[in-house]
Amino acid sequence: QLQLQESGSRLVKPSQTLSLTCAVSGGSISSGGYSWSWIRQPPGKGLEWTGYISDSGSTYYNPSLKSRVTISVDRSKNQFSLKLSSVTAADTAVYYCARGIDAHNIGAFDIWGQGTMVTVSS
Amino acid sequence: EIVLTQSPGTLSLSPGERATLSCRASQIFRSSYLAWYQEKPGQAPRLLIYATSSRATGIPDRFSGSGSGTDFTLTISRLEPEDFAMYYCQQYGDSPPWTFGPGTKVEI
């Protein structure tokens, strides 16, 4: 079955760029017309959708982050990535990658990575 | 941005009881694009319901979703011990941003 696994920097200094990758295994990132999202959860708080990349490569970002966030896909490596620039302590969170369940419900996330805690601190 | 409000904040029940969780949106959004997730400590959220009332794969039929307009409900017909957790609603109906509610904690 399809699985997602986040990896990347766990500690990022303020003003630097957070970079995470989500490796897709058990299936192809290019099949099925799925979309691929990043969601984050600050410690003790709720969930915040960050952005997604569609099967066609189109991207949509949360306006609260739009100027700082980039999501891209590397189909040859079967993975997609998140970059968040100019980070502050407010960006400290568990970051999840997730898949939209189908082409009509791209914003309902049926498969999630285990999550990776990223701390912004000097 | 559509703001979701969940009530109650905490629901204290016993195994075997019925749980009714509410989610209210600040405005109407594209029809029925409402999801519910269950979250347990240290785990990723688990999709229970999407498109307001469709159960995700492997979700027991004691979980059901309903609603329309701005008011939506997740019902757990008979609570099992493993159902005590945090529950989030989420809308994905209109143009992003998709938003989550603050959550309802179901506790014993």
Side-chain angles (χ1 to χ4, degrees):
Chain A
Q1 68 279 20
L2 197 81
Q3 292 184 318
L4 306 179
Q5 178 67 59
E6 303 92 347
S7 63
S9 304
R10 302 290 183 94
L11 180 63
V12 183
K13 289 181 167 47
S15 80
Q16 294 190 344
T17 296
L18 178 160
S19 295
L20 295 173
T21 295
C22 182
V24 179
S25 60
S28 171
I29 198 171
S30 299
S31 66
Y34 296 107
S35 66
W36 308 89
S37 282
W38 288 94
I39 299 118
R40 69 181 186 177
Q41 185 172 36
K45 296 187 178 181
L47 299 160
E48 180 185 34
W49 173 78
T50 299
Y52 85 92
I53 188 162
S54 72
D55 63 316
S56 64
S58 299
T59 52
Y60 296 84
Y61 303 130
N62 192 320
S64 68
L65 302 169
K66 189 172 184 178
S67 62
R68 299 194 293 130
V69 65
T70 303
I71 296 175
S72 59
V73 64
D74 187 334
R75 301 186 190 281
S76 67
K77 294 183 178 179
N78 216 33
Q79 64 186 33
F80 63 106
S81 299
L82 170 73
K83 291 188 185 298
L84 184 64
S85 63
S86 304
V87 297
T88 69
D91 296 310
T92 294
V94 175
Y95 285 77
Y96 295 101
C97 57
R99 186 189 79 167
I101 190 170
D102 61 38
H104 298 289
N105 295 277
I106 61 175
F109 310 118
D110 65 332
I111 299 176
W112 295 63
Q114 65 183 25
T116 188
M117 180 68 200
V118 179
T119 302
V120 178
S121 175
S122 55
Chain B
E1 176 176 316
I2 296 173
V3 177
L4 299 178
T5 304
Q6 291 187 243
S7 60
T10 302
L11 196 53
S12 298
L13 294 168
S14 299
E17 290 192 298
R18 182 185 186 91
T20 302
L21 287 66
S22 175
C23 177
R24 175 165 289 179
S26 59
Q27 62 190 77
I28 293 176
F29 53 92
R30 191 156 55 120
S31 59
S32 77
Y33 286 177
L34 192 286
W36 290 93
Y37 299 85
Q38 177 192 70
E39 186 184 50
K40 296 181 179 178
Q43 297 182 21
R46 174 192 181 198
L47 178 66
L48 301 173
I49 301 287
Y50 65 99
T52 298
S53 59
S54 297
R55 268 188 302 276
T57 301
I59 302 303
D61 60 7
R62 65 180 181 274
F63 291 92
S64 64
S66 63
S68 64
T70 60
D71 292 308
F72 300 86
T73 300
L74 174 70
T75 302
I76 310 171
S77 59
R78 289 177 56 86
L79 283 164
E80 297 287 342
E82 62 268 27
D83 298 337
F84 291 91
M86 182 71 81
Y87 291 84
Y88 294 97
C89 61
Q90 178 225 351
Q91 67 80 21
Y92 55 98
D94 283 330
S95 298
W98 300 325
T99 51
F100 292 85
T104 290
K105 182 178 181 181
V106 178
E107 64 175 23
I108 296 178

